[in-house]
Amino acid sequence: MVGIASGLVLLAVGLMLGYRFGRKYNQAAGVAMSQDERERVLQMLQELGAWTNEYSGSVSQYQTRLGELSNEVRVDAQSAQTAPKVIALLKQIMESNEQLQTRLESAERQLDKQTKQIESYLTEARTDALTGLHNRRAFDQKLDETFATFRKGGRSFALALIDIDHFKNFNDTHGHQVGDQVLQQVAKLLRLELDDAIIVARFGGEEFAILMNGPLQIAADKMNKVRKTMASHQIDLGGKPLSVTISVGVSEPRDDLVASPVVRRADEALYAAKNIGRNRVYYHDGKGPSLVGAPEVAKG
């Protein structure tokens, strides 16, 4: 009976620790942890293992001692020394249980702290600090996921690459602080105008990248509306209103085996928009870049 009870106790402890750690660790599944974070998680696992081993040893000792006391009772049922020994042993078991509970609560706090650190790492690793948008790393992962879904028969999507026109002039004329504010304001407008997009990200420098639902022509028309909104919107930087325009290239997946050709075609469309005169949207249908609207409309 004692062996079964102690076995159940150990099983309960193991399940409790496994559940608590597993629940916390699974929340961070798929996160690329740093070396320091991995070492910290391993250290906590080792600590938990040591605690369970120690408790296992304690239960084994208690089991042995209870067996000895049972034998004493069988030999001398009238012994006056047996009852105090049993009470003392039960007191030790209770104290051990209290210590174990304290350690489990401590482990829970440590796991909570570690989980928050991992979540913070995940956020920082995938967010552009200046604009608050997703960064290139997060975008590339989402593009691969979306493309894989498309290849398996899922719905199509469109990729838009956006470049702020003459951005270097903002930095050269007004300083890098103003340049940063321009990036922040453009990011804000893109987030508002494309709130139904799959992802809005800063692609690097003054470039942004958008994944949105297709088809291509509808996505291109939507990006042209965003371009017009941007052109008509003046950014107020401390009483100095600045006009900002963007050039956009849009593409969609076709018979591609990988996602890189989708990016290449969007980049070719963006290059055409910038090379023709900026402040316009081009889309690439697989044959070549085409302007959205007539030139005079594109400038409006």
Side-chain angles (χ1 to χ4, degrees):
M1 179 68 70
V2 174
I4 295 176
S6 61
L8 289 175
V9 170
L10 285 176
L11 177 61
V13 171
L15 289 175
M16 185 182 301
L17 290 174
Y19 170 76
R20 290 189 179 190
F21 182 78
R23 177 167 54 85
K24 296 298 180 183
Y25 190 78
N26 285 338
Q27 291 176 0
V31 179
M33 291 186 292
S34 67
Q35 182 63 29
D36 290 342
E37 288 169 333
R38 285 197 297 271
E39 291 177 356
R40 179 59 182 146
V41 170
L42 289 175
Q43 179 183 346
M44 286 193 296
L45 279 175
Q46 292 168 356
E47 290 174 356
L48 291 174
W51 293 347
T52 54
N53 286 336
E54 179 181 338
Y55 189 76
S56 175
S58 298
V59 171
S60 179
Q61 292 175 10
Y62 297 147
Q63 181 177 350
T64 300
R65 185 63 182 133
L66 284 171
E68 293 173 352
L69 289 174
S70 296
N71 289 333
E72 289 184 19
V73 172
R74 290 192 188 96
V75 173
D76 186 3
Q78 302 300 321
S79 174
Q81 301 298 322
T82 302
K85 291 179 181 178
V86 172
I87 293 175
L89 181 59
L90 291 175
K91 183 178 180 180
Q92 290 178 13
I93 293 175
M94 292 297 294
E95 291 176 350
S96 177
N97 285 338
E98 291 176 358
Q99 292 174 3
L100 177 63
Q101 181 62 37
T102 299
R103 290 186 175 187
L104 286 174
E105 291 173 353
S106 175
E108 179 76 11
R109 288 193 295 270
Q110 291 181 21
L111 290 173
D112 283 338
K113 180 179 179 180
Q114 183 67 18
T115 300
K116 291 177 181 178
Q117 290 174 346
I118 294 173
E119 290 173 347
S120 176
Y121 173 79
L122 173 62
T123 300
E124 293 175 0
R126 299 179 179 236
T127 303
D128 178 63
L130 178 64
T131 64
L133 297 178
H134 295 287
N135 63 12
R136 175 68 179 271
R137 176 186 177 188
F139 176 83
D140 287 343
Q141 180 174 340
K142 180 59 70 173
L143 173 60
D144 289 340
E145 293 173 356
T146 307
F147 183 80
T149 300
F150 165 76
R151 287 283 298 171
K152 293 177 182 178
R155 66 181 302 174
S156 186
F157 64 92
L159 163 63
L161 294 181
I162 301 169
D163 188 270
I164 300 176
D165 295 330
H166 305 294
F167 181 74
K168 186 175 182 297
N169 292 342
F170 291 113
N171 285 330
D172 293 344
T173 304
H174 305 284
H176 288 280
Q177 184 175 0
V178 170
D180 288 348
Q181 290 178 299
V182 169
L183 287 169
Q184 291 171 334
Q185 291 298 317
V186 170
K188 181 179 179 181
L189 189 144
L190 291 176
R191 188 187 294 112
L192 291 174
E193 294 294 320
L194 300 166
D195 58 346
D196 59 345
I198 299 171
I199 187 173
V200 180
R202 185 180 178 190
F203 204 59
E206 67 271 26
E207 278 195 324
F208 298 85
I210 317 291
L211 288 181
M212 63 183 70
N213 295 320
L216 176 62
Q217 189 63 57
I218 292 178
D221 289 341
K222 185 168 187 176
M223 289 309 306
N224 198 41
K225 292 179 181 178
V226 173
R227 177 198 65 80
K228 291 180 180 180
T229 300
M230 184 72 69
S232 63
H233 177 73
Q234 287 193 322
I235 298 177
D236 186 6
L237 301 175
K240 299 178 181 179
L242 295 177
S243 296
V244 179
T245 62
I246 57 175
S247 297
V248 185
V250 188
S251 69
E252 68 177 353
R254 306 191 74 78
D255 296 327
D256 309 299
L257 299 178
V258 293
S260 55
V262 185
V263 179
R264 176 182 54 77
R265 290 194 294 272
D267 194 55
E268 289 178 5
L270 174 60
Y271 179 80
K274 293 167 63 177
N275 192 47
I276 295 300
R278 295 181 170 84
N279 188 25
R280 58 194 68 207
V281 177
Y282 270 73
Y283 64 93
H284 198 306
D285 60 2
K287 298 178 181 178
S290 299
L291 175 67
V292 177
E296 63 270 18
V297 175
K299 294 178 182 179

